């Protein structure tokens, strides 16, 4: 081989012999430089060979590990992997060996009863810790756990556990609602089914006794089911809306509000249920959309009833002036019509102002009135029949014009004597048909047409709601509504924050238009109204309620007698208690007060009122939340809570509302425990679906749950539900997502199993850490853990629970399991990494301890089980349970932004190298190259070459620069404008696959560039955007342009290599 400079030396010698010495020196210098370069190259080759050998050694050790593992498996005792039986209430006994797979049923056993027996849930009214209080929205005593309860429990328990671990004196109060209508219906059906008796057959006293008997035997199942979800409620304070303490509060509230002039009795229009024979609240009315003529079942009717039809008929005008045509969807109510309304400026009827029509069936005169508020002259005939006693709008017209209010229905929904002898006794919808026939016979029928409408249906009985005038007790809500409105919207004295904030505007709209609240119900089960009717000896009418001024109110009969004597001094009388009961929402509205002991000033009331948070669904913002605020401020002297968090409503995976009639209801216990498709079908068959609905529901189940629902456990269900809270006002719940989190639990399980094997039986965690001396990957995982802690806490504090789940999940899944655990595995297979191994063990323990505590509020069961298996610190005074240990906090010393940025680049390179590997040969290790543009990126690649080789599963990594020739036979991908990676594949490249990768990369980068460019060129950008943002975005834009150039070069290189390969 001719060395560089030898030809030059020979020529120089021939030309000038006198310069021999100078040339010899020059030649030696060049030879020395060449030898130095060759030495450097050999050293690099040696290093690469050593790395490859280490990798082979690692592979060899893995083979021996596998052999050893196989031997160990053969010698295993299966009983070592099974948890011993644990007596109820005692701390769970764990198996000496961790099970090889996560089993939610095995993991979630025993922990809850130990937590409860250990009083971990109990709040202390005398504690010096800051209080944090939530009252669980009381579920109905008749209820079974449904997915809405599951969402409520998951969110609230997550908040409660986080606050408890953060040093608060936490109180979460459980309770049950007596559910007046629902419970009465259940027991009435039971009586009819078992004894063929109605409540009227056995009388009020015996019936109420039967309800209490049923409640004590069957009621409250739902609260036990809350335990299955892990809800850490303070069971020592469990209450029931009809227990003695709550009944005392209800009576006191009624008496106080009555004496303050806020409760009164009046004849008003109410929602009447003819099957239940009671007034019902607005929330118990479902509004069914009727798009066209529809026939539907109505309780008590043999045949289906027609709806969605507008019937037109004529009223004769007095004096033979002709007739006037009106239209209605409830033609039977014309029996109670007392007027006809027109618009004052409608010229068609100006000649009829002050005239009257004549009722065709009873001769009653119907004045023709002008009401521009109600009548739209463009709609229909422009004339509107007015039935003040049976329509909300007509009721208001009746008051404005001082019309007669004629009730034509009995409580059972039959026509009464006011409807006329021809129709009296007819059920209302039979009367509908009869009235049409009678109109036809008189030549007054004008036809019918399809009509869209909303039909009010009672959610309890499925009966069609009838607006009826009834004497009822009402709460005057005007002044209390103003207080509640200001509590949320006042600029100077805001007392309540509603989250999400958009509901504050709905709060405003409702409370500015609030109507008085009907609080009496014609039931037997509930809080008996503490009002007595005074029947004077000289009263002409002796029926209860005949005279509205004969009512007295008291806490008991003795107080009522004193009031009656004061009111009717010197007169003879008897008093009779009102048979009605109070609306269930009245006692529910008092719940934050009554659960803490009000009206008595108890230690609990002093310590915990106002409560901290009310968490519930947005559908009862007004029916419950607003009433709690009104009653709390009026009776308790302050708002009942400082914040309101409204969670979305759950729908099925297709966005359909869950309902029993559709058969798409998801039972959370079926998700927790698992159920076969056959089991799902059996549940449908036990429901009240008709044959066609049943078959459709079964088909839908077979599509959605072809193999049933696998056992997911409470932890996975909770995590999924909380993660869904980012979805505006509706959650489309897909059970597949829950299944995904159940599989993730298995990943957590395996992470701990790996840790326990690597830590060893004699491992003792350190009391202090010298983070700066640790390997970069250890410093990195602690820094990103720190970020996850900060993001989780910030998300909790801002009630962005979905963001909190993302922060926790991302750290566990993508940083700890996917990167850190994989990166440190080689440290445990070669003795030369002893120092790194020890640091990795310490870091791993800290990550697991901190990570489990971070995750615990979301997944209480699996985190407790895994945390209990972690080794204890030397001299540790660790808490008995993870749920009372300290929640992680941000640790400044762990933060390392530089290492995070370096590892972002490393992980980017690893992902690209993995993507270059052929799908058919994932186990083969290939040589890799990193083309670096600049000294910084070069330094990063050299510093982290070990981690890249390990994580990308390549045989070696060589750092090259733009001056180096591109390695032959390589697949290429671009990480960013400073870094490209190559993978030297054996055999031939797949040209189309490589072109497609680069094409996608170009497309993605170009899209980002165009979007950013569009933003920066938009109108007002330079004036509005801060200078720092403009500079940052200009850097990004420049980087995208550089990256596009690099992709260009990569495409050219690829085409050149493909061309060479084809030669």
């Amino acid at each position: 081989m001719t060395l560089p400079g030898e030809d030059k030396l020979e020529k120089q010698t021939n030309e000038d012999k006198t310069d021999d010495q100078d040339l010899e020196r020059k030649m030696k210098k060049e030879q020395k430089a060449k030898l130095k370069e060759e030495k450097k190259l050999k050293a690099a080759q040696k290093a690469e060979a050593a790395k490859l050998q280490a990798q082979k050694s690692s592979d060899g050790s893995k083979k021996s590990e596998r052999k050893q593992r196989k031997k160990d498996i053969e010698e295993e005792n299966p009983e070592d992997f099974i948890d011993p039986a644990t007596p109820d209430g005692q701390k769970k006994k764990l198996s000496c060996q961790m099970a090889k797979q996560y089993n939610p049923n095995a993991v979630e056993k025993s922990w809850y009863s130990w937590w409860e027996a250990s009083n971990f849930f109990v709040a202390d009214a005398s504690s010096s810790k800051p209080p944090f209080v939530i009252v669980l929205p009381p579920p109905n005593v008749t209820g079974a756990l449904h997915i809405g309860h599951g969402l409520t429990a998951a969110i609230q328990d997550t908040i409660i556990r986080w606050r408890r671990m953060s040093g608060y004196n936490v109180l979460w109060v459980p309770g049950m609602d007596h559910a007046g209508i629902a419970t009465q219906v259940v027991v009435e059906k039971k009586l009819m089914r078992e004894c063929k008796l109605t409540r009227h057959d056995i009388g009020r006293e015996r019936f109420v006794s039967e309800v209490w008997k049923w409640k004590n035997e069957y009621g409250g199942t739902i609260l036990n089911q809350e335990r299955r979800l892990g809800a850490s409620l303070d069971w020592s304070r469990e209450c029931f809306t009809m227990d003695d303490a709550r009944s005392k509060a209800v009576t006191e509230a009624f008496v106080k509000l009555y004496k303050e002039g806020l409760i009164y009795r009046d004849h008003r229009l109410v929602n009447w249920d003819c099957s239940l024979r009671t007034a019902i609240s607005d929330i118990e009315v479902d509004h069914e959309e009727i798009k066209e003529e529809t026939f539907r079942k109505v309780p008590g009717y043999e045949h289906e009833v027609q709806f969605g039809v507008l019937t037109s008929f004529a009223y004769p005008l007095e004096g033979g002036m002709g007739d006037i045509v009106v239209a209605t969807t409830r033609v039977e109510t014309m029996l109670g019509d007392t007027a006809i309304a027109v618009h004052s400026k409608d010229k068609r009827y100006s000649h009829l102002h002050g005239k009257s029509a004549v009722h065709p069936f009873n001769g009653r005169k119907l004045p023709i009135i002008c009401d521009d508020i109600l009548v739209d002259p463009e709609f229909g005939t422009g004339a509107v029949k007015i039935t003040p006693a049976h329509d909300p709008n007509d009721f208001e017209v009746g008051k404005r014009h001082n019309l007669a209010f004629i009730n034509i229905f009995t409580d059972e929904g039959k026509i009464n004597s006011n409807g006329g002898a021809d129709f009296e006794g007819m059920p209302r919808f039979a009367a509908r048909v009869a009235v049409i026939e009678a109109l036809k016979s008189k030549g007054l029928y004008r036809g019918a047409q399809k009509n869209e409408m909303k039909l009010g249906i009672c959610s309890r009985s499925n009966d069609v709601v009838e607006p009826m005038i009834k004497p009822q007790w009402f709460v005057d809500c005007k002044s209390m509504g103003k207080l509640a409105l200001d509590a949320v919207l006042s600029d100077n004295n805001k007392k309540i924050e509603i989250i999400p904030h958009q509901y504050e505007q709905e709060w405003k709209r409702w409370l500015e238009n609030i109507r008085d609240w009907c609080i009496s119900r014609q039931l037997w089960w509930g809080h008996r109204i503490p009002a007595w009717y005074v029947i004077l000896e000289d009263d002409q009418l002796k029926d209860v309620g005949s005279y509205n001024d004969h009512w007295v109110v008291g806490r008991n009969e003795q107080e009522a007698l004193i009031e009656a004597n004061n009111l009717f001094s010197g007169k003879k009388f008897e008093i009779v208690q009102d048979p009605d009961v109070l609306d269930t929402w009245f006692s529910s509205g008092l719940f934050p007060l009554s659960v803490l002991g009000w009206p008595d000033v108890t230690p609990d009331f002093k310590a915990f009122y106002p409560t901290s948070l009310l968490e519930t669904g947005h559908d009862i913002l007004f029916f419950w939340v607003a009433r709690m605020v009104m009653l709390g401020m009026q009776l308790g002297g302050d708002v009942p809570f400082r914040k309101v968090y409204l969670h979305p409503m759950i729908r099925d995976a297709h966005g359909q509302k869950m309902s029993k009639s559709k058969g798409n209801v998801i039972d959370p216990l079926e998700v927790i425990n698992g159920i076969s498709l056959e089991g799902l079908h059996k549940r449908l068959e036990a429901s009240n679906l008709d044959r066609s609905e049943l078959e459709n529901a079964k088909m839908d189940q077979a599509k959605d749950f072809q193999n049933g629902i696998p056992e997911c456990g409470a932890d996975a269900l909770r995590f999924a539900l909380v993660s869904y809270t980012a979805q505006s006002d509706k959650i489309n719940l897909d059970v597949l997502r829950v299944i995904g989190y159940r599989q993730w639990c298995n990943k957590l399980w395996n992470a701990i199993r790996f840790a326990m094997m690597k830590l060893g039986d004699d491992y003792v965690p350190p009391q202090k850490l010298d983070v700066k001396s640790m390997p970069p990957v250890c410093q990195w995982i602690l820094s990103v853990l720190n970020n996850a802690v900060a993001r989780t806490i910030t998300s909790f504090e801002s009630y962005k629970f979905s963001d909190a789940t993302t922060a926790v999940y991302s750290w566990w899944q993508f940083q700890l399991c996917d990167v850190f655990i994989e990166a440190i595995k080689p440290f445990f297979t070669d003795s030369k990494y002893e120092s790194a191994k020890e640091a990795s063990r310490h870091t791993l323990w800290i990550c697991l301890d901190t990570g489990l505590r971070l995750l615990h509020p979301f997944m209480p069961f699996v985190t407790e089980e895994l945390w209990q298996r972690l080794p204890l610190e030397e001299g540790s005074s660790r808490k008995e349970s993870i749920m009372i240990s300290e929640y992680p906090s941000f640790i400044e010393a762990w933060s390392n932004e530089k290492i995070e940025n370096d590892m972002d680049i490393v992980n980017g390179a690893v992902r690209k190298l993995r993507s270059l590997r052929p799908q058919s040969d994932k186990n083969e290790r290939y040589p890799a190259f990193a083309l670096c543009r600049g000294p910084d990126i070069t330094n990063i690649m050299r510093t982290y070459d070990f981690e890249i080789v390990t994580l990308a599963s390549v045989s070696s990594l060589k750092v090259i620069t733009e001056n180096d020739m591109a390695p032959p036979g390589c697949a290429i991908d671009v990480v960013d404008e400073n870094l490209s990676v190559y993978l030297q594949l054996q055999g031939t490249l797949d040209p189309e696959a490589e072109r497609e990768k680069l094409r996608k990369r170009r497309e993605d980068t170009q899209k980002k560039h165009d979007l950013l460019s569009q933003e920066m060129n938009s109108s007002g950008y330079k004036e509005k955007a801060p200078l720092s943002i403009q500079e940052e975005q200009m850097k990004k834009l420049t980087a995208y342009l550089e990256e596009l150039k690099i992709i260009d070069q990569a495409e050219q290189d690829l085409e050149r290599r493909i061309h060479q390969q084809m030669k």
Side-chain angles (χ1 to χ4, degrees):
M1 181 180 69
T2 304
L3 293 174
E6 283 185 345
D7 289 339
K8 187 176 181 182
L9 175 60
E10 187 178 351
K11 185 178 179 182
Q12 190 69 25
T13 303
N14 292 334
E15 290 177 357
D16 191 356
K17 296 280 186 180
T18 60
D19 291 330
D20 281 353
Q21 291 178 341
D22 292 336
L23 289 171
E24 188 175 354
R25 277 196 298 270
K26 188 174 182 180
M27 182 188 71
K28 285 180 179 179
K29 188 175 181 181
E30 288 178 354
Q31 283 179 324
K32 190 175 181 182
K34 181 66 178 176
L35 289 169
K36 187 176 180 182
E37 188 63 34
E38 287 179 351
K39 189 176 181 182
K40 198 183 213 180
L41 182 60
K42 284 180 181 178
Q45 289 172 339
K46 188 176 180 182
E48 283 187 22
K51 193 182 290 180
L52 186 59
Q53 185 60 37
Q55 191 68 60
K56 288 179 180 177
S57 173
S58 173
D59 292 343
S61 65
K62 284 182 181 176
K63 287 177 183 176
S64 64
E65 256 185 46
R66 283 196 290 271
K67 282 184 181 179
Q68 183 62 41
R69 203 176 299 133
K70 186 176 180 182
K71 185 180 177 184
D72 291 341
I73 289 170
E74 291 170 356
E75 296 174 358
E76 282 173 357
N77 181 359
E79 291 186 6
D80 289 344
F81 296 88
I82 300 172
D83 295 326
T86 303
D88 191 53
Q90 290 187 18
K91 187 173 182 179
K92 185 175 181 180
K93 296 177 180 177
L94 300 175
S95 58
C96 57
Q97 294 289 331
M98 279 184 73
K100 294 178 182 178
Q101 282 191 323
Y102 166 72
N103 180 332
N105 184 48
V107 167
E108 294 175 6
K109 276 182 180 175
S110 303
W111 287 120
Y112 194 94
S113 62
W114 173 61
W115 290 333
E116 188 177 346
S118 301
N119 292 326
F120 293 152
F121 306 158
V122 178
D124 180 4
S126 63
S127 172
S128 60
K129 293 179 180 179
F132 186 86
V133 187
I134 298 180
V135 172
L136 178 74
N140 288 351
V141 68
T142 57
L145 197 68
H146 61 64
I147 203 70
H149 295 125
L151 177 63
T152 297
I155 294 171
Q156 292 188 18
D157 194 47
T158 296
I159 298 168
I160 285 292
R161 287 178 182 270
W162 166 58
R163 289 290 189 182
R164 187 184 287 119
M165 295 175 73
S166 300
Y168 284 79
N169 181 25
V170 166
L171 172 60
W172 188 17
V173 187
M176 276 189 305
D177 193 293
H178 64 278
I181 293 176
T183 308
Q184 181 160 312
V185 167
V186 166
V187 178
E188 282 195 82
K189 286 181 178 178
K190 182 174 180 286
L191 268 176
M192 180 55 66
R193 185 173 61 251
E194 295 177 0
C195 309
K196 304 299 180 190
L197 295 171
T198 68
R199 63 183 164 113
H200 300 282
D201 293 332
I202 64 173
R204 181 170 192 150
E205 187 176 341
R206 188 178 159 197
F207 177 76
V208 171
S209 175
E210 285 294 318
V211 180
W212 274 109
K213 182 179 172 184
W214 179 90
K215 183 264 174 189
N216 293 331
E217 189 171 351
Y218 300 107
T221 301
I222 192 168
L223 291 183
N224 287 324
Q225 292 172 328
E226 296 274 7
R227 289 173 162 89
R228 185 68 185 86
L229 280 166
S232 55
L233 291 147
D234 185 345
W235 298 106
S236 69
R237 289 175 167 88
E238 181 183 344
C239 56
F240 177 52
T241 51
M242 278 187 64
D243 63 26
D244 291 343
R246 263 43 66 181
S247 295
K248 176 183 176 182
V250 168
T251 300
E252 185 67 23
F254 188 97
V255 172
K256 276 181 173 289
L257 293 172
Y258 179 80
K259 288 184 176 179
E260 291 168 5
L262 295 173
I263 285 181
Y264 64 92
R265 189 173 172 85
D266 195 8
H267 283 70
R268 293 282 186 92
L269 206 64
V270 297
N271 300 312
W272 188 262
D273 187 303
C274 299
S275 295
L276 301 174
R277 300 185 218 175
T278 181
I280 59 174
S281 68
D282 290 344
I283 198 172
E284 289 157 333
V285 180
D286 295 332
H287 295 281
E288 186 177 305
E289 294 278 354
I290 304 289
K291 296 291 185 183
E292 56 186 0
E293 181 184 13
T294 302
F295 290 85
R296 79 180 315 278
K297 292 178 182 177
V298 177
Y301 291 82
E302 184 178 349
H303 301 292
E304 291 184 331
V305 177
Q306 181 192 51
F307 297 96
V309 171
L310 190 69
T311 302
S312 299
F313 67 94
Y315 270 121
L317 295 167
E318 65 177 348
M321 295 176 67
D323 57 38
I324 186 168
V325 177
V326 295
T328 178
T329 57
R330 299 160 64 219
V331 70
E332 67 280 6
T333 62
M334 64 86 66
L335 300 175
D337 284 357
T338 58
I340 297 169
V342 298
H343 197 279
S344 63
K345 295 180 180 178
D346 191 337
K347 294 180 180 179
R348 292 174 295 176
Y349 302 115
S350 57
H351 66 292
L352 297 179
H353 294 179
K355 306 295 184 182
S356 296
V358 180
H359 201 290
F361 301 141
N362 54 38
R364 184 167 60 243
K365 284 192 175 184
L366 308 178
I368 296 172
I369 60 174
C370 294
D371 195 294
D372 295 357
I373 297 174
L374 175 73
V375 179
D376 176 3
E378 303 298 322
F379 182 77
T381 64
V384 181
K385 64 184 280 299
I386 304 299
T387 321
H390 295 291
D391 182 272
N393 293 323
D394 295 0
F395 179 84
E396 297 300 327
V397 174
K399 288 200 297 182
R400 285 197 293 272
H401 296 272
N402 200 26
L403 300 175
F405 289 73
I406 300 174
N407 176 26
I408 62 167
F409 294 122
T410 66
D411 288 355
E412 296 83 4
K414 294 181 179 180
I415 305 298
N416 63 21
S417 58
N418 293 331
D422 291 343
F423 306 102
E424 185 176 1
M426 284 186 184
R428 55 188 165 146
F429 295 122
R432 177 175 293 184
V433 177
V435 166
I436 290 173
E437 291 304 314
L439 287 169
K440 286 179 178 178
S441 69
K442 290 181 178 289
L444 298 173
Y445 181 74
R446 295 291 183 269
Q449 63 187 72
K450 295 177 182 178
N451 182 69
E452 288 189 20
M453 62 180 291
K454 285 185 177 181
L455 190 64
I457 305 293
C458 176
S459 61
R460 304 296 181 187
S461 66
N462 209 34
D463 200 358
V464 176
V465 173
E466 195 66 54
M468 288 174 67
I469 282 190
K470 288 285 182 180
Q472 303 284 338
W473 292 96
F474 292 87
V475 175
D476 183 341
C477 294
K478 289 186 286 293
S479 61
M480 290 194 292
K482 181 66 168 61
L483 288 174
L485 181 66
D486 290 344
V488 171
L489 297 175
S490 172
D491 292 330
N492 303 320
N493 194 24
K494 185 181 180 77
K495 295 183 176 181
I496 298 174
E497 179 186 5
I498 297 179
I499 305 165
H501 292 134
Q502 68 258 29
Y503 289 107
E504 291 187 351
Q505 287 308 307
E506 291 194 25
W507 181 269
K508 180 176 185 288
R509 281 194 295 273
W510 191 76
L511 284 172
E512 284 182 340
N513 299 285
I514 193 170
R515 295 186 297 178
D516 288 355
W517 171 18
C518 174
I519 56 170
S520 46
R521 298 289 180 267
Q522 290 62 53
L523 302 171
W524 287 358
W525 172 246
H527 294 103
R528 189 88 173 262
I529 293 176
W532 282 259
Y533 184 75
V534 182
I535 304 173
L536 298 175
E537 188 177 50
D538 55 0
D539 280 341
Q540 290 185 353
L541 302 174
K542 302 292 185 181
D543 290 341
V544 172
S546 297
Y547 302 99
N548 217 33
D549 62 352
H550 280 28
W551 289 96
V552 293
V553 169
R555 292 172 182 82
N556 49 50
E557 189 171 358
Q558 186 178 359
E559 278 193 16
L561 278 170
I562 293 171
E563 289 293 320
N565 276 312
N566 291 336
L567 191 62
F568 301 103
S569 179
K571 294 187 177 183
K572 290 184 178 180
F573 60 80
E574 61 176 308
I575 62 173
V576 179
Q577 188 173 1
D578 191 331
D580 291 352
V581 300
L582 285 164
D583 178 15
T584 302
W585 292 102
F586 189 79
S587 53
S588 297
L590 295 169
F591 212 55
L593 291 165
S594 63
V595 296
L596 299 175
W598 187 90
D600 298 328
V601 183
T602 62
D604 272 7
F605 189 80
K606 287 191 285 187
F608 299 121
Y609 191 87
T611 66
S612 310
L613 172 71
L614 187 280
E615 191 281 334
T616 189
H618 64 76
D619 57 327
I620 53 174
L621 177 61
F622 313 119
F623 299 108
W624 188 42
V625 181
R627 287 165 177 170
M628 280 190 287
V629 174
M630 290 192 296
L631 293 173
M633 295 183 77
Q634 187 70 32
L635 300 170
D638 200 352
V639 293
F641 26 74
R642 298 299 183 197
K643 290 182 187 290
V644 176
Y645 176 79
L646 301 170
H647 64 238
M649 306 310 295
I650 298 186
R651 300 190 170 223
D652 69 13
H654 311 290
Q656 297 293 313
K657 183 179 178 181
M658 289 190 188
S659 71
K660 292 177 182 176
S661 62
K662 290 181 181 176
N664 64 343
V665 173
I666 294 176
D667 181 344
L669 293 181
E670 291 175 350
V671 180
I672 291 171
N673 300 322
I675 188 171
S676 65
L677 180 60
E678 183 185 8
L680 289 169
H681 285 349
K682 282 182 179 177
R683 174 163 60 79
L684 285 179
E685 289 162 1
S687 67
N688 295 321
L689 295 176
D690 64 33
R691 184 175 295 277
S692 63
E693 290 173 332
L694 178 63
E695 291 308 313
N696 287 335
K698 280 186 173 181
M699 286 172 59
D700 289 340
Q701 280 187 341
K703 287 178 191 172
D704 291 342
F705 311 113
Q706 189 174 1
N707 299 310
I709 301 173
E711 178 189 45
C712 293
D715 283 329
L717 176 61
R718 286 168 58 118
F719 198 88
L721 290 172
V722 175
S723 72
Y724 265 120
T725 53
Q727 289 189 9
S728 63
D729 61 342
K730 297 180 186 72
I731 288 174
N732 296 342
L733 178 64
D734 189 345
V735 172
L736 287 175
R737 186 156 166 180
V738 186
I739 295 168
Y741 286 125
R742 185 248 184 261
Q743 292 165 346
W744 183 57
C745 287
N746 195 59
K747 192 134 190 171
L748 299 179
W749 189 265
N750 288 335
I752 302 296
R753 283 190 75 232
F754 168 82
M756 299 305 288
M757 287 189 292
K758 301 307 177 189
L759 294 178
D761 296 336
D762 57 348
Y763 175 74
V764 177
Q767 291 184 326
K768 285 186 178 181
L769 272 185
D770 182 8
V771 177
K772 300 300 180 188
S773 67
M774 289 181 159
V777 73
C778 294
Q779 295 185 52
W780 169 77
I781 193 63
L782 292 176
S783 188
V784 292
L785 172 57
N786 222 18
N787 292 340
V789 169
R791 284 198 301 272
T792 303
I793 292 172
T794 301
S795 300
F796 271 141
E797 289 172 342
S798 57
Y799 291 84
K800 295 179 179 177
F801 304 114
S802 179
D803 290 353
T805 61
T806 300
V808 177
Y809 179 87
S810 297
W811 179 81
W812 270 98
Q813 178 72 31
F814 304 125
Q815 294 172 328
L816 183 76
C817 293
D818 288 357
V819 178
F820 180 71
I821 286 179
E822 295 303 318
I824 65 172
K825 282 181 179 178
F827 295 159
F828 294 89
T829 59
D830 196 322
S831 59
K832 71 178 181 180
Y833 299 123
E834 195 59 39
S835 175
K837 180 171 80 170
E838 194 62 16
S840 298
R841 293 169 84 202
H842 295 333
T843 306
L844 183 58
W845 182 88
I846 286 171
C847 284
L848 297 178
D849 173 67
T850 307
L852 289 171
R853 286 185 288 120
L854 189 68
L855 178 61
H856 176 75
F858 306 99
M859 292 183 159
F861 294 105
V862 70
T863 52
E864 181 75 90
E865 177 118 348
L866 295 175
W867 189 78
Q868 293 288 350
R869 288 191 177 273
L870 292 181
L872 288 171
E873 292 174 279
E874 190 173 0
S876 170
S877 56
R878 188 172 80 166
K879 296 287 188 180
E880 200 175 353
S881 166
I882 191 174
M883 69 166 288
I884 55 171
S885 65
E886 187 177 343
Y887 201 70
S889 57
F890 187 84
I891 299 173
E892 192 67 43
W894 288 4
S895 289
N896 194 321
E897 190 175 349
K898 182 185 182 307
I899 281 185
E900 283 188 50
N901 293 335
D902 289 352
M903 279 296 292
D904 284 344
I905 295 167
V906 168
N907 286 326
V910 168
R911 282 191 296 271
K912 294 299 182 184
L913 285 169
R914 284 176 175 171
S915 71
L916 294 175
R917 297 168 66 84
Q919 290 291 329
S920 59
D921 195 7
K922 286 293 183 183
N923 294 323
E924 187 66 36
R925 293 176 181 271
Y926 299 101
F929 301 84
L931 173 56
C932 302
R933 301 173 185 89
D936 291 342
I937 198 74
T938 302
N939 185 50
I940 291 169
M941 288 296 101
R942 285 179 174 152
T943 301
Y944 291 92
D945 65 340
F946 177 82
E947 284 80 7
I948 295 171
V949 167
T950 302
L951 294 169
S953 296
V954 294
S955 61
S956 62
L957 176 70
K958 183 177 180 180
V959 177
I960 58 177
T961 68
E962 291 178 288
N963 297 325
D964 295 311
M965 285 291 292
C970 286
I972 181 175
D973 208 339
V974 178
V975 179
D976 59 28
E977 73 276 16
N978 296 317
L979 178 64
S980 300
V981 290
Y982 297 79
L983 194 65
Q984 198 165 43
L985 303 174
Q986 295 174 357
T988 58
L989 289 171
D990 181 344
E992 287 309 314
E994 296 305 312
R995 285 176 179 137
E996 180 64 14
K997 284 176 189 175
L998 290 171
R999 187 194 67 76
K1000 284 184 177 179
R1001 181 69 193 213
R1002 170 187 288 284
E1003 191 177 87
D1004 181 55
T1005 305
Q1006 188 69 54
K1007 186 177 180 181
K1008 289 177 182 176
H1009 170 274
D1010 294 347
L1011 286 171
L1012 185 56
S1013 179
Q1014 184 180 350
E1015 181 187 343
M1016 293 173 68
N1017 291 321
S1018 63
S1019 176
Y1021 171 81
K1022 289 186 178 179
E1023 293 79 16
K1024 294 176 184 177
L1027 190 59
S1028 60
I1029 297 293
Q1030 292 188 40
E1031 289 173 354
E1032 184 65 31
Q1033 292 190 324
M1034 181 55 73
K1035 286 179 184 176
K1036 278 188 183 179
L1037 198 67
T1038 304
Y1040 289 146
L1041 287 170
E1042 283 299 314
E1043 196 169 319
L1044 287 168
K1045 287 180 186 176
I1046 291 162
I1047 294 168
D1048 279 340
Q1049 293 171 10
E1051 287 173 334
Q1052 291 170 21
D1053 287 345
L1054 176 64
E1055 294 304 324
R1056 187 164 50 252
R1057 290 198 301 275
I1058 292 170
H1059 181 70
Q1060 289 171 352
Q1061 185 176 282
M1062 292 172 66
K1063 282 185 177 181

